[in-house]
Amino acid sequence: MFTSSRISHDTTLFTYSKEVQKLQYKQAGHTQKDILLVVGLVVGLSGFYLLMKYNQSSTFFSDSYIILTAIFAFVSAAFLVISGAFGSWLSFRDSVFLQGLFVYLLVVVFCLESTASALAYFHAIKLDSEIAPLTGVFQNYTGSSQDSNSRAVDVTQEELQCCGVHGYRDWLETSWFNRTGGLHVPHTCCNSTFPSCNGTVDQPWQLYTQGCQVKMEMAFGFMLRLVMWGFPLVLLVEVVLVLIVAQLMMPQPHVKYDTIY
């Protein structure tokens, strides 16, 4: 016959094991939520940098749809950070309603991040055609600081350390090059390792060797890939979090003891 002390001891062990399991789930969930915060910051920064670079280089793009990727990246990053912070706070609560609200936030994050990733992929494979106006902007270069197109060219060459569309020889075919005597390219083509460089074409080793089209495609491609690869990571973390929340929301089973005579 089971004594009352034996039943009490078994019940205590069962309750303790369930509490330990629950604590382990919460600790695992807390780690996953921290990962959400980190991923949110990375996606948000990539969206911010993409938007900032586009504002500087918008003259070279055929349309402005690429900023939709930055906007969705911003919004999804905001929801990622909110979800991570909310989930960390939720670790200290046992509310089924709040756990359900957390799952709803994860679904919203999934929709936003998948949209941002799809847009990033779409623009990544079309970068070459979207930067098509680059040649025309270089052809219309005037060298004047009052001209927004010329300023954009100079800023791009200086920041990306490039010269011309495909190389410094592209400048030899521009009207600006002929008007200025056909001896120099813009000073922003000068390699920073040569302080004495004045853009003379008979000293090409002092100029940047790569063209700006390749450098721009590399820069924007890197930012778009950050947004793209953020999606599978977020998806993986979300699946783990949903499983953890599902375990925490499951009702505790009742222990039945049969009396043996």
Short mmCIF file of all heavy atoms in Angstrom, two decimals, residues 96-141:
data_model
loop_
_atom_site.label_atom_id
_atom_site.label_comp_id
_atom_site.label_asym_id
_atom_site.label_seq_id
_atom_site.Cartn_x
_atom_site.Cartn_y
_atom_site.Cartn_z
N VAL A 96 -0.39 32.88 -20.65
CA VAL A 96 -0.65 32.24 -21.93
C VAL A 96 -1.01 33.29 -22.98
O VAL A 96 -0.63 33.19 -24.14
CB VAL A 96 -1.79 31.20 -21.80
CG1 VAL A 96 -2.16 30.62 -23.16
CG2 VAL A 96 -1.38 30.08 -20.85
N PHE A 97 -1.74 34.33 -22.57
CA PHE A 97 -2.11 35.40 -23.51
C PHE A 97 -0.88 36.11 -24.05
O PHE A 97 -0.76 36.36 -25.26
CB PHE A 97 -3.02 36.40 -22.79
CG PHE A 97 -3.25 37.66 -23.59
CD1 PHE A 97 -4.12 37.67 -24.67
CD2 PHE A 97 -2.58 38.84 -23.27
CE1 PHE A 97 -4.33 38.82 -25.42
CE2 PHE A 97 -2.77 39.99 -24.01
CZ PHE A 97 -3.66 39.99 -25.08
N LEU A 98 0.07 36.43 -23.17
CA LEU A 98 1.29 37.12 -23.61
C LEU A 98 2.14 36.22 -24.49
O LEU A 98 2.77 36.68 -25.45
CB LEU A 98 2.09 37.57 -22.39
CG LEU A 98 1.46 38.69 -21.55
CD1 LEU A 98 2.32 38.99 -20.34
CD2 LEU A 98 1.26 39.95 -22.38
N GLN A 99 2.16 34.93 -24.18
CA GLN A 99 2.90 33.99 -25.03
C GLN A 99 2.27 33.90 -26.42
O GLN A 99 2.97 33.83 -27.42
CB GLN A 99 2.92 32.62 -24.36
CG GLN A 99 3.80 32.57 -23.12
CD GLN A 99 3.62 31.31 -22.32
OE1 GLN A 99 2.68 30.55 -22.55
NE2 GLN A 99 4.50 31.08 -21.35
N GLY A 100 0.94 33.93 -26.48
CA GLY A 100 0.26 33.94 -27.77
C GLY A 100 0.55 35.22 -28.54
O GLY A 100 0.72 35.20 -29.77
N LEU A 101 0.60 36.35 -27.83
CA LEU A 101 0.92 37.63 -28.46
C LEU A 101 2.34 37.61 -29.02
O LEU A 101 2.60 38.15 -30.10
CB LEU A 101 0.77 38.76 -27.45
CG LEU A 101 1.05 40.19 -27.94
CD1 LEU A 101 0.12 40.56 -29.10
CD2 LEU A 101 0.92 41.20 -26.81
N PHE A 102 3.25 36.95 -28.30
CA PHE A 102 4.62 36.84 -28.77
C PHE A 102 4.69 36.04 -30.07
O PHE A 102 5.41 36.40 -31.00
CB PHE A 102 5.47 36.17 -27.68
CG PHE A 102 6.90 35.97 -28.08
CD1 PHE A 102 7.74 37.05 -28.33
CD2 PHE A 102 7.42 34.69 -28.19
CE1 PHE A 102 9.06 36.87 -28.70
CE2 PHE A 102 8.74 34.49 -28.55
CZ PHE A 102 9.56 35.58 -28.80
N VAL A 103 3.93 34.95 -30.15
CA VAL A 103 3.88 34.15 -31.38
C VAL A 103 3.32 34.98 -32.52
O VAL A 103 3.81 34.90 -33.67
CB VAL A 103 3.03 32.88 -31.17
CG1 VAL A 103 2.83 32.13 -32.49
CG2 VAL A 103 3.69 31.96 -30.15
N TYR A 104 2.32 35.81 -32.25
CA TYR A 104 1.75 36.69 -33.28
C TYR A 104 2.81 37.66 -33.79
O TYR A 104 2.91 37.89 -35.02
CB TYR A 104 0.56 37.45 -32.72
CG TYR A 104 -0.03 38.46 -33.68
CD1 TYR A 104 -0.81 38.06 -34.75
CD2 TYR A 104 0.23 39.82 -33.52
CE1 TYR A 104 -1.34 38.97 -35.64
CE2 TYR A 104 -0.29 40.75 -34.41
CZ TYR A 104 -1.07 40.32 -35.46
OH TYR A 104 -1.58 41.23 -36.34
N LEU A 105 3.62 38.21 -32.89
CA LEU A 105 4.70 39.11 -33.31
C LEU A 105 5.71 38.37 -34.20
O LEU A 105 6.22 38.93 -35.17
CB LEU A 105 5.40 39.68 -32.08
CG LEU A 105 4.72 40.83 -31.35
CD1 LEU A 105 5.49 41.20 -30.09
CD2 LEU A 105 4.57 42.04 -32.25
N LEU A 106 5.98 37.12 -33.87
CA LEU A 106 6.91 36.33 -34.68
C LEU A 106 6.36 36.13 -36.09
O LEU A 106 7.12 36.14 -37.07
CB LEU A 106 7.17 34.98 -34.02
CG LEU A 106 7.95 34.99 -32.70
CD1 LEU A 106 8.15 33.57 -32.20
CD2 LEU A 106 9.30 35.68 -32.86
N VAL A 107 5.05 35.95 -36.22
CA VAL A 107 4.43 35.79 -37.54
C VAL A 107 4.57 37.08 -38.34
O VAL A 107 4.89 37.06 -39.54
CB VAL A 107 2.95 35.38 -37.40
CG1 VAL A 107 2.25 35.40 -38.76
CG2 VAL A 107 2.82 34.01 -36.78
N VAL A 108 4.35 38.22 -37.69
CA VAL A 108 4.51 39.52 -38.36
C VAL A 108 5.95 39.70 -38.82
O VAL A 108 6.21 40.15 -39.95
CB VAL A 108 4.08 40.67 -37.42
CG1 VAL A 108 4.39 42.03 -38.06
CG2 VAL A 108 2.60 40.58 -37.09
N VAL A 109 6.90 39.36 -37.95
CA VAL A 109 8.32 39.46 -38.30
C VAL A 109 8.63 38.57 -39.50
O VAL A 109 9.37 38.98 -40.42
CB VAL A 109 9.20 39.07 -37.10
CG1 VAL A 109 10.65 38.88 -37.53
CG2 VAL A 109 9.12 40.14 -36.02
N PHE A 110 8.09 37.36 -39.52
CA PHE A 110 8.31 36.44 -40.63
C PHE A 110 7.83 37.06 -41.95
O PHE A 110 8.54 37.00 -42.96
CB PHE A 110 7.58 35.12 -40.37
CG PHE A 110 7.60 34.19 -41.54
CD1 PHE A 110 8.71 33.42 -41.82
CD2 PHE A 110 6.50 34.10 -42.38
CE1 PHE A 110 8.73 32.56 -42.91
CE2 PHE A 110 6.50 33.24 -43.48
CZ PHE A 110 7.63 32.47 -43.75
N CYS A 111 6.64 37.64 -41.94
CA CYS A 111 6.09 38.24 -43.16
C CYS A 111 6.95 39.41 -43.64
O CYS A 111 7.26 39.53 -44.84
CB CYS A 111 4.66 38.70 -42.92
SG CYS A 111 3.50 37.36 -42.58
N LEU A 112 7.34 40.28 -42.72
CA LEU A 112 8.14 41.46 -43.08
C LEU A 112 9.52 41.05 -43.57
O LEU A 112 10.01 41.56 -44.59
CB LEU A 112 8.26 42.40 -41.88
CG LEU A 112 6.99 43.14 -41.46
CD1 LEU A 112 7.22 43.85 -40.13
CD2 LEU A 112 6.57 44.14 -42.52
N GLU A 113 10.16 40.13 -42.86
CA GLU A 113 11.52 39.74 -43.22
C GLU A 113 11.54 38.97 -44.54
O GLU A 113 12.47 39.14 -45.34
CB GLU A 113 12.12 38.88 -42.10
CG GLU A 113 13.57 38.50 -42.30
CD GLU A 113 14.50 39.70 -42.32
OE1 GLU A 113 14.16 40.74 -41.76
OE2 GLU A 113 15.59 39.58 -42.93
N SER A 114 10.53 38.14 -44.78
CA SER A 114 10.47 37.41 -46.06
C SER A 114 10.27 38.38 -47.21
O SER A 114 10.85 38.20 -48.30
CB SER A 114 9.35 36.37 -46.03
OG SER A 114 8.09 36.98 -45.81
N THR A 115 9.46 39.42 -47.01
CA THR A 115 9.26 40.43 -48.05
C THR A 115 10.55 41.20 -48.33
O THR A 115 10.93 41.41 -49.49
CB THR A 115 8.15 41.42 -47.64
OG1 THR A 115 6.95 40.70 -47.37
CG2 THR A 115 7.90 42.43 -48.74
N ALA A 116 11.24 41.60 -47.26
CA ALA A 116 12.51 42.32 -47.42
C ALA A 116 13.54 41.44 -48.13
O ALA A 116 14.28 41.92 -49.01
CB ALA A 116 13.04 42.75 -46.06
N SER A 117 13.59 40.17 -47.78
CA SER A 117 14.54 39.25 -48.41
C SER A 117 14.22 39.04 -49.89
O SER A 117 15.13 39.02 -50.73
CB SER A 117 14.51 37.90 -47.68
OG SER A 117 15.42 37.00 -48.25
N ALA A 118 12.93 38.91 -50.22
CA ALA A 118 12.53 38.74 -51.62
C ALA A 118 12.89 39.97 -52.44
O ALA A 118 13.39 39.87 -53.57
CB ALA A 118 11.04 38.44 -51.71
N LEU A 119 12.64 41.15 -51.89
CA LEU A 119 12.98 42.39 -52.59
C LEU A 119 14.49 42.52 -52.76
O LEU A 119 14.97 42.96 -53.82
CB LEU A 119 12.44 43.60 -51.81
CG LEU A 119 10.93 43.83 -51.87
CD1 LEU A 119 10.52 44.93 -50.89
CD2 LEU A 119 10.50 44.20 -53.28
N ALA A 120 15.24 42.14 -51.72
CA ALA A 120 16.70 42.22 -51.81
C ALA A 120 17.22 41.29 -52.90
O ALA A 120 18.11 41.66 -53.67
CB ALA A 120 17.32 41.85 -50.46
N TYR A 121 16.67 40.09 -52.98
CA TYR A 121 17.09 39.15 -54.03
C TYR A 121 16.75 39.69 -55.42
O TYR A 121 17.56 39.62 -56.35
CB TYR A 121 16.41 37.80 -53.81
CG TYR A 121 16.68 36.80 -54.92
CD1 TYR A 121 17.90 36.14 -54.99
CD2 TYR A 121 15.72 36.55 -55.89
CE1 TYR A 121 18.16 35.24 -56.02
CE2 TYR A 121 15.97 35.65 -56.92
CZ TYR A 121 17.19 34.99 -56.98
OH TYR A 121 17.44 34.11 -58.00
N PHE A 122 15.55 40.25 -55.56
CA PHE A 122 15.12 40.80 -56.85
C PHE A 122 16.05 41.90 -57.33
O PHE A 122 16.46 41.93 -58.50
CB PHE A 122 13.69 41.33 -56.71
CG PHE A 122 13.18 42.03 -57.93
CD1 PHE A 122 12.77 41.31 -59.04
CD2 PHE A 122 13.11 43.42 -57.98
CE1 PHE A 122 12.30 41.96 -60.18
CE2 PHE A 122 12.64 44.08 -59.10
CZ PHE A 122 12.23 43.34 -60.20
N HIS A 123 16.42 42.81 -56.43
CA HIS A 123 17.29 43.92 -56.83
C HIS A 123 18.75 43.47 -56.98
O HIS A 123 19.50 44.07 -57.77
CB HIS A 123 17.20 45.05 -55.81
CG HIS A 123 15.89 45.79 -55.84
ND1 HIS A 123 15.53 46.61 -56.90
CD2 HIS A 123 14.85 45.82 -54.98
CE1 HIS A 123 14.33 47.12 -56.67
NE2 HIS A 123 13.90 46.65 -55.53
N ALA A 124 19.15 42.43 -56.24
CA ALA A 124 20.53 41.96 -56.35
C ALA A 124 20.83 41.40 -57.74
O ALA A 124 21.93 41.59 -58.27
CB ALA A 124 20.80 40.90 -55.28
N ILE A 125 19.84 40.71 -58.32
CA ILE A 125 20.08 40.12 -59.65
C ILE A 125 19.87 41.14 -60.76
O ILE A 125 20.17 40.86 -61.93
CB ILE A 125 19.16 38.90 -59.88
CG1 ILE A 125 17.68 39.32 -59.83
CG2 ILE A 125 19.45 37.82 -58.85
CD1 ILE A 125 16.72 38.17 -60.12
N LYS A 126 19.36 42.33 -60.41
CA LYS A 126 19.12 43.37 -61.42
C LYS A 126 20.01 44.58 -61.25
O LYS A 126 19.78 45.62 -61.88
CB LYS A 126 17.65 43.81 -61.38
CG LYS A 126 16.66 42.80 -61.90
CD LYS A 126 15.25 43.38 -61.89
CE LYS A 126 15.17 44.63 -62.73
NZ LYS A 126 13.85 45.26 -62.73
N LEU A 127 21.02 44.48 -60.40
CA LEU A 127 21.87 45.64 -60.12
C LEU A 127 22.53 46.19 -61.38
O LEU A 127 22.63 47.41 -61.56
CB LEU A 127 22.95 45.27 -59.10
CG LEU A 127 22.60 45.50 -57.63
CD1 LEU A 127 23.75 45.06 -56.75
CD2 LEU A 127 22.24 46.95 -57.36
N ASP A 128 22.95 45.31 -62.26
CA ASP A 128 23.65 45.75 -63.47
C ASP A 128 22.76 46.65 -64.32
O ASP A 128 23.22 47.69 -64.83
CB ASP A 128 24.09 44.53 -64.28
CG ASP A 128 24.90 44.94 -65.51
OD1 ASP A 128 25.94 45.58 -65.33
OD2 ASP A 128 24.47 44.63 -66.63
N SER A 129 21.49 46.29 -64.47
CA SER A 129 20.58 47.10 -65.29
C SER A 129 20.08 48.33 -64.53
O SER A 129 19.79 49.36 -65.13
CB SER A 129 19.39 46.26 -65.75
OG SER A 129 18.67 45.73 -64.64
N GLU A 130 20.00 48.24 -63.20
CA GLU A 130 19.51 49.37 -62.42
C GLU A 130 20.54 50.49 -62.34
O GLU A 130 20.19 51.65 -62.13
CB GLU A 130 19.12 48.92 -61.02
CG GLU A 130 17.85 48.07 -60.99
CD GLU A 130 17.37 47.79 -59.59
OE1 GLU A 130 18.10 48.13 -58.64
OE2 GLU A 130 16.26 47.25 -59.44
N ILE A 131 21.82 50.16 -62.50
CA ILE A 131 22.88 51.18 -62.46
C ILE A 131 23.26 51.59 -63.88
O ILE A 131 24.29 52.21 -64.12
CB ILE A 131 24.11 50.65 -61.69
CG1 ILE A 131 23.68 50.11 -60.32
CG2 ILE A 131 25.15 51.72 -61.45
CD1 ILE A 131 24.82 49.57 -59.49
N ALA A 132 22.41 51.28 -64.85
CA ALA A 132 22.68 51.60 -66.26
C ALA A 132 22.92 53.09 -66.52
O ALA A 132 23.76 53.44 -67.36
CB ALA A 132 21.54 51.09 -67.13
N PRO A 133 22.22 54.04 -65.84
CA PRO A 133 22.44 55.47 -66.13
C PRO A 133 23.82 55.98 -65.72
O PRO A 133 24.12 57.16 -65.95
CB PRO A 133 21.36 56.16 -65.29
CG PRO A 133 20.33 55.12 -65.02
CD PRO A 133 21.10 53.85 -64.91
N LEU A 134 24.65 55.13 -65.13
CA LEU A 134 25.97 55.57 -64.66
C LEU A 134 26.79 56.20 -65.78
O LEU A 134 27.41 57.25 -65.61
CB LEU A 134 26.72 54.36 -64.06
CG LEU A 134 27.98 54.65 -63.26
CD1 LEU A 134 27.64 55.40 -61.99
CD2 LEU A 134 28.69 53.36 -62.91
N THR A 135 26.79 55.59 -66.96
CA THR A 135 27.58 56.09 -68.08
C THR A 135 27.13 57.49 -68.48
O THR A 135 27.96 58.38 -68.72
CB THR A 135 27.45 55.14 -69.29
OG1 THR A 135 27.90 53.85 -68.91
CG2 THR A 135 28.28 55.65 -70.46
N GLY A 136 25.81 57.71 -68.54
CA GLY A 136 25.29 59.02 -68.92
C GLY A 136 25.67 60.10 -67.94
O GLY A 136 25.99 61.24 -68.33
N VAL A 137 25.66 59.79 -66.65
CA VAL A 137 26.03 60.77 -65.63
C VAL A 137 27.50 61.16 -65.77
O VAL A 137 27.86 62.34 -65.67
CB VAL A 137 25.74 60.21 -64.21
CG1 VAL A 137 26.21 61.20 -63.15
CG2 VAL A 137 24.27 59.92 -64.04
N PHE A 138 28.36 60.20 -66.02
CA PHE A 138 29.79 60.49 -66.20
C PHE A 138 30.02 61.32 -67.47
O PHE A 138 30.88 62.21 -67.49
CB PHE A 138 30.59 59.19 -66.27
CG PHE A 138 31.02 58.67 -64.92
CD1 PHE A 138 30.10 58.07 -64.08
CD2 PHE A 138 32.32 58.80 -64.49
CE1 PHE A 138 30.48 57.58 -62.84
CE2 PHE A 138 32.72 58.32 -63.25
CZ PHE A 138 31.79 57.72 -62.42
N GLN A 139 29.25 61.04 -68.51
CA GLN A 139 29.38 61.80 -69.76
C GLN A 139 29.00 63.26 -69.57
O GLN A 139 29.55 64.15 -70.22
CB GLN A 139 28.51 61.17 -70.85
CG GLN A 139 29.05 59.86 -71.40
CD GLN A 139 30.29 60.06 -72.25
OE1 GLN A 139 30.57 61.16 -72.74
NE2 GLN A 139 31.05 58.98 -72.44
N ASN A 140 28.06 63.53 -68.68
CA ASN A 140 27.57 64.90 -68.44
C ASN A 140 28.31 65.60 -67.31
O ASN A 140 27.87 66.64 -66.82
CB ASN A 140 26.08 64.88 -68.13
CG ASN A 140 25.25 64.38 -69.31
OD1 ASN A 140 25.59 64.65 -70.46
ND2 ASN A 140 24.18 63.65 -69.03
N TYR A 141 29.42 65.05 -66.90
CA TYR A 141 30.21 65.63 -65.81
C TYR A 141 30.73 67.02 -66.22
O TYR A 141 31.22 67.20 -67.33
CB TYR A 141 31.39 64.71 -65.49
CG TYR A 141 32.28 65.18 -64.36
CD1 TYR A 141 31.94 64.95 -63.04
CD2 TYR A 141 33.49 65.82 -64.64
CE1 TYR A 141 32.76 65.36 -62.01
CE2 TYR A 141 34.33 66.22 -63.61
CZ TYR A 141 33.97 66.00 -62.30
OH TYR A 141 34.79 66.40 -61.28
#
